[in-house]
Amino acid sequence: MAVSSASAQPPTTFTGRPVYVIGAGPGGLAAARALRARGVRAVVLEKADEVGASWRRHYDRLHLHTTRRLSALPGLPIPRRFGRWVARDDMIRYLEKYAEFHELEIVTGVEVSRVERSADGTGWLLRASGGRELTGGAVVVATGFNHTPRVPDWPGLDAYAGEFLHAGEYRNAEPYAGRDVLVVGVGNTGAEIAVDLVEGGAARVRLSVRTPPHIVRRSTAGWAAQYSAVLVRRLPVTLVDRLARHLAKVSVPDLSGHGLPRPDSGLYSRVAAGAIPVQDVGLVDAVRAGRVEVVAAVDGFEDGKVALADGGRLSPDAVIAATGYERALEGLVGHLDVLDGRGRPVVRSGRSPRNAPGLYFTGFTNPISGMLRELARDAEKIATTVARRAARGA
């Protein structure tokens, strides 16, 4: 998709250079719109053929765990007809409409492989597919939190002859009807896939858990968990941990007898370490009914079987690894010394790294208050900072 940007006045640029936004997902689109609203020309570069590529790859039953009202990007509400919990396909429609409505300048089929300082030191050089070399006054990296599937380095996996796939390849339960399936990982994706398999007719579903998660109700008496998350986000971690512990005892049944004990560490302490609570969309009832069986963590693969940490051995028909994703920023910007030890940007939102002014990042955290809400806020902050720099340059 490529839509020409039209405005009443010529857009502000950095001495004739646009701002390049890498990635046409929600973060990239929101940043481009916020820049355009401030009179700054923004060109979105997307390696896929359409906007929202990562959303198109999600499993069929996916719905947002955040509310429609708090998931909209700046400048365009999500239609009420999409319901409170927006479905994957409706989210894709929204992103398409967003790009069209704001007349964003998007170039698809272009993959940026490396970002470098320009030769004159006043901007950024982007090396892209087809031998392209693009020079921009600033760069917004919005390549996504779920960029590259991560599979643990399990011993014996290379020789495993059974069906194995990452959760990013899972679409629906139809291929697994009547089969024995092991889901590895109990984040939101793993929990929801396990429930989907049960409801889709899998003969047996087991869920491999290394660290028991915090489980919260998506909504209680009409009050969305996201509302609470927004309210407590600025409170001390220890206080939120205590509040969450009391709330869990009255809202979520104890699943210890089914292999899912309550976590030892606090909910917000876990969030600070990068572990978002699991929002219950049927897992609690499935575990209590024995339809999803909780088993120990996977340690590897031996003699055609799955080896568990407790010494058990399983022979499922299929293994689905819901083991997360890598940000995969090292090749793009790793040489600029702008990433921390875990491969995440050292700063985000409206701030640039001290050694890389004009380079911005959005969408590389998984906040408790909802990623889409924070992407929207980041877009406004980035655009404000960039517009000020562009105005000074002009």
Side-chain angles (χ1 to χ4, degrees), residues 98-165:
Y98 191 86
E100 177 186 359
F101 181 81
H102 290 298
E103 299 182 310
L104 302 182
E105 188 173 351
I106 302 170
V107 184
T108 59
V110 175
E111 182 174 7
V112 179
S113 57
R114 188 175 175 89
V115 177
E116 304 172 354
R117 295 295 295 180
S118 59
D120 60 8
T122 63
W124 293 95
L125 174 67
L126 284 68
R127 300 190 185 277
S129 53
R132 297 176 179 88
E133 293 186 353
L134 309 171
T135 304
V139 174
V140 180
V141 180
T143 49
F145 191 82
N146 296 334
H147 187 276
T148 302
R150 179 177 65 237
V151 176
D153 187 19
W154 284 312
L157 177 58
D158 291 344
Y160 181 63
E163 181 179 355
F164 179 91
L165 67 155

Short mmCIF file of all heavy atoms in Angstrom, two decimals, residues 98-165:
data_model
loop_
_atom_site.label_atom_id
_atom_site.label_comp_id
_atom_site.label_asym_id
_atom_site.label_seq_id
_atom_site.Cartn_x
_atom_site.Cartn_y
_atom_site.Cartn_z
N TYR A 98 -7.04 3.13 8.99
CA TYR A 98 -6.23 4.18 9.62
C TYR A 98 -5.24 4.77 8.61
O TYR A 98 -5.10 5.99 8.49
CB TYR A 98 -5.49 3.59 10.82
CG TYR A 98 -4.82 4.60 11.71
CD1 TYR A 98 -5.53 5.23 12.73
CD2 TYR A 98 -3.47 4.92 11.54
CE1 TYR A 98 -4.92 6.15 13.57
CE2 TYR A 98 -2.86 5.85 12.37
CZ TYR A 98 -3.59 6.46 13.38
OH TYR A 98 -2.97 7.38 14.20
N ALA A 99 -4.56 3.90 7.88
CA ALA A 99 -3.59 4.36 6.88
C ALA A 99 -4.27 5.17 5.79
O ALA A 99 -3.77 6.19 5.34
CB ALA A 99 -2.85 3.17 6.29
N GLU A 100 -5.45 4.70 5.37
CA GLU A 100 -6.18 5.39 4.31
C GLU A 100 -6.74 6.72 4.80
O GLU A 100 -6.63 7.76 4.12
CB GLU A 100 -7.32 4.50 3.82
CG GLU A 100 -8.20 5.12 2.76
CD GLU A 100 -9.39 4.26 2.41
OE1 GLU A 100 -9.52 3.16 2.99
OE2 GLU A 100 -10.20 4.69 1.57
N PHE A 101 -7.35 6.70 5.98
CA PHE A 101 -7.99 7.90 6.52
C PHE A 101 -7.00 9.04 6.70
O PHE A 101 -7.30 10.20 6.40
CB PHE A 101 -8.66 7.55 7.85
CG PHE A 101 -9.38 8.70 8.51
CD1 PHE A 101 -10.66 9.05 8.11
CD2 PHE A 101 -8.78 9.42 9.53
CE1 PHE A 101 -11.33 10.11 8.71
CE2 PHE A 101 -9.44 10.49 10.13
CZ PHE A 101 -10.72 10.83 9.72
N HIS A 102 -5.81 8.72 7.18
CA HIS A 102 -4.81 9.76 7.44
C HIS A 102 -3.87 9.99 6.25
O HIS A 102 -2.91 10.77 6.36
CB HIS A 102 -4.00 9.40 8.69
CG HIS A 102 -4.79 9.49 9.95
ND1 HIS A 102 -5.35 10.65 10.40
CD2 HIS A 102 -5.14 8.53 10.86
CE1 HIS A 102 -6.01 10.43 11.54
NE2 HIS A 102 -5.88 9.16 11.83
N GLU A 103 -4.15 9.34 5.12
CA GLU A 103 -3.37 9.53 3.90
C GLU A 103 -1.87 9.38 4.16
O GLU A 103 -1.06 10.21 3.76
CB GLU A 103 -3.68 10.90 3.28
CG GLU A 103 -5.14 11.07 2.90
CD GLU A 103 -5.40 12.42 2.25
OE1 GLU A 103 -4.99 13.46 2.81
OE2 GLU A 103 -6.02 12.43 1.17
N LEU A 104 -1.53 8.29 4.82
CA LEU A 104 -0.14 8.07 5.18
C LEU A 104 0.67 7.64 3.95
O LEU A 104 0.16 6.94 3.07
CB LEU A 104 -0.03 7.01 6.27
CG LEU A 104 -0.79 7.31 7.57
CD1 LEU A 104 -0.57 6.20 8.58
CD2 LEU A 104 -0.37 8.67 8.15
N GLU A 105 1.91 8.04 3.93
CA GLU A 105 2.81 7.72 2.82
C GLU A 105 3.54 6.42 3.17
O GLU A 105 4.44 6.41 4.01
CB GLU A 105 3.80 8.86 2.60
CG GLU A 105 4.64 8.70 1.35
CD GLU A 105 5.49 9.93 1.06
OE1 GLU A 105 5.31 10.97 1.73
OE2 GLU A 105 6.35 9.84 0.16
N ILE A 106 3.11 5.35 2.54
CA ILE A 106 3.61 4.02 2.89
C ILE A 106 4.20 3.36 1.65
O ILE A 106 3.56 3.34 0.60
CB ILE A 106 2.49 3.14 3.47
CG1 ILE A 106 1.87 3.80 4.70
CG2 ILE A 106 3.02 1.75 3.83
CD1 ILE A 106 0.61 3.12 5.19
N VAL A 107 5.39 2.82 1.80
CA VAL A 107 6.03 2.08 0.71
C VAL A 107 6.20 0.64 1.18
O VAL A 107 6.92 0.38 2.15
CB VAL A 107 7.39 2.69 0.32
CG1 VAL A 107 7.97 1.94 -0.87
CG2 VAL A 107 7.25 4.17 0.00
N THR A 108 5.52 -0.28 0.52
CA THR A 108 5.59 -1.68 0.92
C THR A 108 6.64 -2.42 0.10
O THR A 108 7.12 -1.94 -0.92
CB THR A 108 4.22 -2.36 0.73
OG1 THR A 108 3.83 -2.25 -0.64
CG2 THR A 108 3.17 -1.69 1.60
N GLY A 109 6.99 -3.61 0.56
CA GLY A 109 7.97 -4.42 -0.15
C GLY A 109 9.40 -3.93 0.00
O GLY A 109 10.26 -4.31 -0.79
N VAL A 110 9.65 -3.12 1.01
CA VAL A 110 11.00 -2.59 1.24
C VAL A 110 11.44 -2.99 2.64
O VAL A 110 10.83 -2.57 3.64
CB VAL A 110 11.04 -1.05 1.10
CG1 VAL A 110 12.43 -0.53 1.46
CG2 VAL A 110 10.66 -0.64 -0.31
N GLU A 111 12.48 -3.78 2.74
CA GLU A 111 13.01 -4.22 4.03
C GLU A 111 14.30 -3.49 4.33
O GLU A 111 15.26 -3.54 3.56
CB GLU A 111 13.26 -5.72 4.03
CG GLU A 111 13.77 -6.24 5.36
CD GLU A 111 13.89 -7.74 5.41
OE1 GLU A 111 13.71 -8.39 4.35
OE2 GLU A 111 14.15 -8.27 6.51
N VAL A 112 14.32 -2.80 5.46
CA VAL A 112 15.52 -2.09 5.89
C VAL A 112 16.40 -3.05 6.68
O VAL A 112 15.95 -3.68 7.64
CB VAL A 112 15.16 -0.86 6.76
CG1 VAL A 112 16.44 -0.15 7.22
CG2 VAL A 112 14.26 0.09 5.98
N SER A 113 17.65 -3.18 6.27
CA SER A 113 18.55 -4.14 6.91
C SER A 113 19.52 -3.48 7.88
O SER A 113 20.02 -4.14 8.79
CB SER A 113 19.34 -4.90 5.84
OG SER A 113 20.07 -4.01 5.02
N ARG A 114 19.78 -2.19 7.70
CA ARG A 114 20.78 -1.54 8.54
C ARG A 114 20.55 -0.04 8.56
O ARG A 114 20.21 0.56 7.53
CB ARG A 114 22.19 -1.85 8.02
CG ARG A 114 23.34 -1.39 8.91
CD ARG A 114 24.66 -1.87 8.32
NE ARG A 114 25.84 -1.40 9.03
CZ ARG A 114 26.41 -2.04 10.04
NH1 ARG A 114 25.89 -3.18 10.47
NH2 ARG A 114 27.49 -1.56 10.63
N VAL A 115 20.71 0.54 9.73
CA VAL A 115 20.60 1.99 9.90
C VAL A 115 21.96 2.52 10.33
O VAL A 115 22.54 2.03 11.30
CB VAL A 115 19.53 2.35 10.95
CG1 VAL A 115 19.48 3.86 11.17
CG2 VAL A 115 18.16 1.83 10.52
N GLU A 116 22.46 3.53 9.62
CA GLU A 116 23.78 4.10 9.91
C GLU A 116 23.68 5.62 9.92
O GLU A 116 22.75 6.21 9.35
CB GLU A 116 24.81 3.68 8.85
CG GLU A 116 24.95 2.19 8.65
CD GLU A 116 25.83 1.85 7.46
OE1 GLU A 116 26.23 2.79 6.74
OE2 GLU A 116 26.12 0.65 7.26
N ARG A 117 24.66 6.25 10.53
CA ARG A 117 24.74 7.70 10.43
C ARG A 117 25.06 8.08 9.00
O ARG A 117 25.81 7.39 8.31
CB ARG A 117 25.84 8.24 11.36
CG ARG A 117 25.59 8.04 12.83
CD ARG A 117 24.39 8.82 13.33
NE ARG A 117 24.57 10.27 13.26
CZ ARG A 117 23.65 11.15 13.64
NH1 ARG A 117 22.48 10.74 14.09
NH2 ARG A 117 23.88 12.44 13.56
N SER A 118 24.47 9.18 8.52
CA SER A 118 24.77 9.63 7.16
C SER A 118 26.21 10.14 7.10
O SER A 118 26.82 10.47 8.13
CB SER A 118 23.81 10.75 6.75
OG SER A 118 23.91 11.85 7.64
N ALA A 119 26.75 10.20 5.92
CA ALA A 119 28.16 10.58 5.75
C ALA A 119 28.45 11.96 6.32
O ALA A 119 29.54 12.20 6.87
CB ALA A 119 28.53 10.52 4.27
N ASP A 120 27.49 12.89 6.20
CA ASP A 120 27.75 14.24 6.70
C ASP A 120 27.41 14.40 8.18
O ASP A 120 27.58 15.48 8.77
CB ASP A 120 26.96 15.27 5.89
CG ASP A 120 25.46 15.05 5.95
OD1 ASP A 120 24.99 14.20 6.73
OD2 ASP A 120 24.73 15.74 5.20
N GLY A 121 26.91 13.30 8.81
CA GLY A 121 26.64 13.32 10.24
C GLY A 121 25.40 14.08 10.65
O GLY A 121 25.13 14.24 11.83
N THR A 122 24.59 14.52 9.68
CA THR A 122 23.41 15.31 10.01
C THR A 122 22.12 14.52 9.94
O THR A 122 21.05 15.04 10.23
CB THR A 122 23.29 16.51 9.07
OG1 THR A 122 23.10 16.03 7.72
CG2 THR A 122 24.53 17.39 9.13
N GLY A 123 22.20 13.27 9.54
CA GLY A 123 20.98 12.46 9.41
C GLY A 123 21.30 10.99 9.48
O GLY A 123 22.30 10.57 10.09
N TRP A 124 20.45 10.19 8.83
CA TRP A 124 20.58 8.74 8.92
C TRP A 124 20.50 8.11 7.53
O TRP A 124 19.72 8.54 6.68
CB TRP A 124 19.47 8.15 9.80
CG TRP A 124 19.62 8.58 11.22
CD1 TRP A 124 19.03 9.63 11.85
CD2 TRP A 124 20.48 7.97 12.18
NE1 TRP A 124 19.45 9.71 13.15
CE2 TRP A 124 20.34 8.70 13.38
CE3 TRP A 124 21.35 6.88 12.16
CZ2 TRP A 124 21.03 8.38 14.54
CZ3 TRP A 124 22.03 6.56 13.31
CH2 TRP A 124 21.86 7.30 14.49
N LEU A 125 21.33 7.11 7.31
CA LEU A 125 21.35 6.36 6.07
C LEU A 125 20.72 4.99 6.32
O LEU A 125 21.15 4.26 7.22
CB LEU A 125 22.78 6.19 5.55
CG LEU A 125 22.96 5.29 4.33
CD1 LEU A 125 22.31 5.93 3.10
CD2 LEU A 125 24.43 5.01 4.08
N LEU A 126 19.73 4.64 5.52
CA LEU A 126 19.06 3.35 5.65
C LEU A 126 19.43 2.49 4.45
O LEU A 126 19.23 2.90 3.30
CB LEU A 126 17.54 3.52 5.69
CG LEU A 126 16.91 4.03 7.00
CD1 LEU A 126 17.30 5.48 7.26
CD2 LEU A 126 15.40 3.89 6.95
N ARG A 127 19.97 1.33 4.74
CA ARG A 127 20.28 0.38 3.67
C ARG A 127 19.12 -0.61 3.60
O ARG A 127 18.77 -1.25 4.59
CB ARG A 127 21.60 -0.33 3.95
CG ARG A 127 22.78 0.64 4.05
CD ARG A 127 24.11 -0.09 4.09
NE ARG A 127 25.22 0.83 4.29
CZ ARG A 127 25.80 1.53 3.31
NH1 ARG A 127 25.36 1.38 2.06
NH2 ARG A 127 26.78 2.35 3.56
N ALA A 128 18.54 -0.71 2.40
CA ALA A 128 17.32 -1.49 2.26
C ALA A 128 17.41 -2.45 1.08
O ALA A 128 18.38 -2.43 0.32
CB ALA A 128 16.12 -0.55 2.09
N SER A 129 16.40 -3.29 0.96
CA SER A 129 16.36 -4.29 -0.10
C SER A 129 16.44 -3.63 -1.48
O SER A 129 16.05 -2.48 -1.66
CB SER A 129 15.08 -5.12 0.02
OG SER A 129 13.94 -4.26 0.06
N GLY A 130 16.96 -4.40 -2.42
CA GLY A 130 17.10 -3.88 -3.77
C GLY A 130 18.26 -2.92 -3.92
O GLY A 130 18.33 -2.18 -4.91
N GLY A 131 19.17 -2.88 -2.94
CA GLY A 131 20.31 -1.98 -3.00
C GLY A 131 19.97 -0.54 -2.71
O GLY A 131 20.80 0.36 -2.95
N ARG A 132 18.80 -0.30 -2.15
CA ARG A 132 18.40 1.07 -1.87
C ARG A 132 19.23 1.67 -0.74
O ARG A 132 19.56 1.00 0.22
CB ARG A 132 16.92 1.14 -1.47
CG ARG A 132 15.94 0.72 -2.54
CD ARG A 132 14.53 0.74 -1.96
NE ARG A 132 13.50 0.37 -2.92
CZ ARG A 132 13.11 -0.87 -3.15
NH1 ARG A 132 13.68 -1.88 -2.49
NH2 ARG A 132 12.16 -1.13 -4.03
N GLU A 133 19.53 2.95 -0.87
CA GLU A 133 20.17 3.73 0.20
C GLU A 133 19.35 5.00 0.36
O GLU A 133 19.29 5.84 -0.52
CB GLU A 133 21.62 4.05 -0.15
CG GLU A 133 22.51 2.82 -0.18
CD GLU A 133 23.98 3.17 -0.38
OE1 GLU A 133 24.28 4.36 -0.63
OE2 GLU A 133 24.82 2.26 -0.29
N LEU A 134 18.69 5.11 1.52
CA LEU A 134 17.77 6.21 1.77
C LEU A 134 18.31 7.07 2.90
O LEU A 134 18.76 6.54 3.92
CB LEU A 134 16.39 5.66 2.15
CG LEU A 134 15.80 4.61 1.18
CD1 LEU A 134 14.55 3.98 1.78
CD2 LEU A 134 15.50 5.25 -0.15
N THR A 135 18.25 8.36 2.74
CA THR A 135 18.76 9.27 3.76
C THR A 135 17.62 10.05 4.38
O THR A 135 16.85 10.71 3.67
CB THR A 135 19.79 10.25 3.16
OG1 THR A 135 20.82 9.51 2.52
CG2 THR A 135 20.39 11.11 4.26
N GLY A 136 17.50 9.96 5.69
CA GLY A 136 16.43 10.66 6.40
C GLY A 136 16.98 11.56 7.49
O GLY A 136 18.09 11.36 7.98
N GLY A 137 16.18 12.53 7.87
CA GLY A 137 16.59 13.42 8.94
C GLY A 137 16.44 12.79 10.30
O GLY A 137 17.13 13.15 11.25
N ALA A 138 15.52 11.85 10.41
CA ALA A 138 15.31 11.09 11.65
C ALA A 138 14.74 9.74 11.28
O ALA A 138 14.22 9.55 10.17
CB ALA A 138 14.37 11.84 12.59
N VAL A 139 14.81 8.79 12.21
CA VAL A 139 14.31 7.44 11.97
C VAL A 139 13.52 6.99 13.19
O VAL A 139 13.96 7.17 14.33
CB VAL A 139 15.47 6.45 11.70
CG1 VAL A 139 14.93 5.02 11.60
CG2 VAL A 139 16.22 6.82 10.44
N VAL A 140 12.36 6.41 12.94
CA VAL A 140 11.55 5.79 13.99
C VAL A 140 11.53 4.29 13.71
O VAL A 140 11.04 3.86 12.67
CB VAL A 140 10.12 6.34 14.01
CG1 VAL A 140 9.32 5.66 15.13
CG2 VAL A 140 10.12 7.85 14.19
N VAL A 141 12.06 3.51 14.63
CA VAL A 141 12.09 2.05 14.47
C VAL A 141 10.85 1.48 15.16
O VAL A 141 10.68 1.60 16.37
CB VAL A 141 13.36 1.44 15.07
CG1 VAL A 141 13.36 -0.08 14.90
CG2 VAL A 141 14.60 2.04 14.42
N ALA A 142 9.98 0.87 14.34
CA ALA A 142 8.73 0.30 14.85
C ALA A 142 8.52 -1.08 14.25
O ALA A 142 7.45 -1.39 13.73
CB ALA A 142 7.56 1.22 14.52
N THR A 143 9.55 -1.90 14.33
CA THR A 143 9.52 -3.21 13.68
C THR A 143 8.77 -4.26 14.50
O THR A 143 8.59 -5.38 14.01
CB THR A 143 10.94 -3.71 13.38
OG1 THR A 143 11.74 -3.57 14.57
CG2 THR A 143 11.58 -2.89 12.28
N GLY A 144 8.38 -3.93 15.71
CA GLY A 144 7.47 -4.80 16.43
C GLY A 144 8.09 -5.61 17.56
O GLY A 144 9.23 -6.03 17.50
N PHE A 145 7.26 -5.84 18.59
CA PHE A 145 7.66 -6.63 19.74
C PHE A 145 7.75 -8.11 19.37
O PHE A 145 8.62 -8.83 19.82
CB PHE A 145 6.63 -6.44 20.85
CG PHE A 145 7.03 -7.00 22.19
CD1 PHE A 145 7.87 -6.27 23.02
CD2 PHE A 145 6.58 -8.23 22.61
CE1 PHE A 145 8.25 -6.78 24.26
CE2 PHE A 145 6.95 -8.74 23.84
CZ PHE A 145 7.79 -8.01 24.66
N ASN A 146 6.83 -8.55 18.50
CA ASN A 146 6.81 -9.95 18.07
C ASN A 146 7.41 -10.05 16.68
O ASN A 146 6.70 -10.24 15.69
CB ASN A 146 5.38 -10.49 18.08
CG ASN A 146 4.78 -10.52 19.46
OD1 ASN A 146 5.49 -10.60 20.46
ND2 ASN A 146 3.47 -10.43 19.54
N HIS A 147 8.71 -9.94 16.59
CA HIS A 147 9.37 -9.88 15.28
C HIS A 147 9.81 -11.25 14.78
O HIS A 147 9.43 -11.70 13.70
CB HIS A 147 10.58 -8.94 15.35
CG HIS A 147 11.22 -8.69 14.02
ND1 HIS A 147 12.15 -9.54 13.48
CD2 HIS A 147 11.08 -7.68 13.13
CE1 HIS A 147 12.56 -9.08 12.31
NE2 HIS A 147 11.91 -7.95 12.07
N THR A 148 10.63 -11.94 15.57
CA THR A 148 11.21 -13.21 15.13
C THR A 148 10.89 -14.30 16.16
O THR A 148 11.22 -14.15 17.34
CB THR A 148 12.75 -13.08 14.98
OG1 THR A 148 13.02 -12.04 14.04
CG2 THR A 148 13.36 -14.38 14.52
N PRO A 149 10.24 -15.39 15.75
CA PRO A 149 9.91 -16.46 16.69
C PRO A 149 11.14 -16.96 17.44
O PRO A 149 12.21 -17.15 16.85
CB PRO A 149 9.32 -17.56 15.79
CG PRO A 149 8.77 -16.81 14.62
CD PRO A 149 9.73 -15.68 14.39
N ARG A 150 10.98 -17.17 18.74
CA ARG A 150 12.07 -17.67 19.57
C ARG A 150 11.76 -19.11 19.99
O ARG A 150 10.69 -19.39 20.53
CB ARG A 150 12.24 -16.81 20.83
CG ARG A 150 13.35 -17.31 21.75
CD ARG A 150 13.55 -16.40 22.95
NE ARG A 150 12.39 -16.38 23.82
CZ ARG A 150 11.71 -15.29 24.15
NH1 ARG A 150 12.06 -14.13 23.66
NH2 ARG A 150 10.67 -15.36 24.97
N VAL A 151 12.70 -20.00 19.72
CA VAL A 151 12.59 -21.39 20.15
C VAL A 151 13.80 -21.72 21.00
O VAL A 151 14.94 -21.50 20.57
CB VAL A 151 12.52 -22.35 18.94
CG1 VAL A 151 12.50 -23.80 19.41
CG2 VAL A 151 11.29 -22.05 18.08
N PRO A 152 13.60 -22.20 22.22
CA PRO A 152 14.74 -22.54 23.08
C PRO A 152 15.67 -23.55 22.40
O PRO A 152 15.25 -24.34 21.55
CB PRO A 152 14.08 -23.14 24.32
CG PRO A 152 12.71 -22.54 24.34
CD PRO A 152 12.31 -22.41 22.90
N ASP A 153 16.90 -23.52 22.82
CA ASP A 153 17.89 -24.44 22.26
C ASP A 153 17.79 -25.79 22.96
O ASP A 153 18.68 -26.22 23.67
CB ASP A 153 19.30 -23.84 22.43
CG ASP A 153 20.36 -24.66 21.71
OD1 ASP A 153 19.99 -25.43 20.81
OD2 ASP A 153 21.55 -24.52 22.06
N TRP A 154 16.67 -26.46 22.75
CA TRP A 154 16.43 -27.74 23.40
C TRP A 154 17.31 -28.83 22.78
O TRP A 154 17.36 -28.98 21.55
CB TRP A 154 14.98 -28.16 23.23
CG TRP A 154 14.01 -27.44 24.10
CD1 TRP A 154 14.11 -27.22 25.44
CD2 TRP A 154 12.76 -26.87 23.70
NE1 TRP A 154 13.01 -26.54 25.91
CE2 TRP A 154 12.16 -26.31 24.86
CE3 TRP A 154 12.09 -26.77 22.49
CZ2 TRP A 154 10.93 -25.67 24.83
CZ3 TRP A 154 10.86 -26.14 22.45
CH2 TRP A 154 10.29 -25.59 23.61
N PRO A 155 18.01 -29.61 23.60
CA PRO A 155 18.79 -30.72 23.04
C PRO A 155 17.87 -31.74 22.39
O PRO A 155 16.80 -32.06 22.90
CB PRO A 155 19.50 -31.29 24.27
CG PRO A 155 18.71 -30.83 25.45
CD PRO A 155 18.14 -29.51 25.07
N GLY A 156 18.29 -32.23 21.26
CA GLY A 156 17.54 -33.26 20.56
C GLY A 156 16.45 -32.75 19.64
O GLY A 156 15.83 -33.55 18.92
N LEU A 157 16.20 -31.44 19.63
CA LEU A 157 15.12 -30.93 18.80
C LEU A 157 15.39 -31.15 17.31
O LEU A 157 14.47 -31.50 16.55
CB LEU A 157 14.91 -29.43 19.07
CG LEU A 157 13.84 -28.74 18.22
CD1 LEU A 157 12.48 -29.41 18.39
CD2 LEU A 157 13.75 -27.25 18.57
N ASP A 158 16.63 -30.99 16.89
CA ASP A 158 16.95 -31.16 15.47
C ASP A 158 16.63 -32.56 14.97
O ASP A 158 16.30 -32.74 13.79
CB ASP A 158 18.43 -30.86 15.22
CG ASP A 158 18.77 -29.40 15.40
OD1 ASP A 158 17.82 -28.59 15.41
OD2 ASP A 158 19.97 -29.06 15.54
N ALA A 159 16.70 -33.54 15.85
CA ALA A 159 16.46 -34.93 15.44
C ALA A 159 15.02 -35.37 15.70
O ALA A 159 14.66 -36.51 15.39
CB ALA A 159 17.42 -35.87 16.17
N TYR A 160 14.22 -34.49 16.27
CA TYR A 160 12.84 -34.86 16.61
C TYR A 160 12.03 -35.04 15.33
O TYR A 160 11.99 -34.14 14.47
CB TYR A 160 12.22 -33.78 17.49
CG TYR A 160 10.81 -34.07 17.93
CD1 TYR A 160 10.52 -35.18 18.72
CD2 TYR A 160 9.77 -33.24 17.55
CE1 TYR A 160 9.22 -35.44 19.13
CE2 TYR A 160 8.46 -33.49 17.95
CZ TYR A 160 8.20 -34.59 18.74
OH TYR A 160 6.91 -34.85 19.15
N ALA A 161 11.39 -36.18 15.18
CA ALA A 161 10.66 -36.51 13.95
C ALA A 161 9.18 -36.17 14.03
O ALA A 161 8.48 -36.22 13.01
CB ALA A 161 10.83 -37.98 13.63
N GLY A 162 8.70 -35.81 15.22
CA GLY A 162 7.29 -35.47 15.35
C GLY A 162 6.97 -34.10 14.80
O GLY A 162 7.86 -33.33 14.42
N GLU A 163 5.67 -33.76 14.77
CA GLU A 163 5.27 -32.44 14.30
C GLU A 163 5.63 -31.39 15.35
O GLU A 163 5.25 -31.51 16.51
CB GLU A 163 3.77 -32.40 14.01
CG GLU A 163 3.33 -31.04 13.48
CD GLU A 163 1.85 -30.98 13.17
OE1 GLU A 163 1.16 -32.02 13.27
OE2 GLU A 163 1.38 -29.88 12.83
N PHE A 164 6.34 -30.39 14.91
CA PHE A 164 6.77 -29.31 15.81
C PHE A 164 6.56 -27.98 15.10
O PHE A 164 6.97 -27.83 13.95
CB PHE A 164 8.23 -29.48 16.20
CG PHE A 164 8.75 -28.40 17.12
CD1 PHE A 164 8.68 -28.55 18.49
CD2 PHE A 164 9.29 -27.22 16.60
CE1 PHE A 164 9.14 -27.55 19.34
CE2 PHE A 164 9.74 -26.22 17.44
CZ PHE A 164 9.67 -26.38 18.82
N LEU A 165 5.96 -27.03 15.79
CA LEU A 165 5.80 -25.70 15.21
C LEU A 165 5.81 -24.65 16.31
O LEU A 165 5.49 -24.93 17.47
CB LEU A 165 4.51 -25.59 14.41
CG LEU A 165 3.17 -25.67 15.15
CD1 LEU A 165 2.08 -24.96 14.37
CD2 LEU A 165 2.76 -27.14 15.36
#
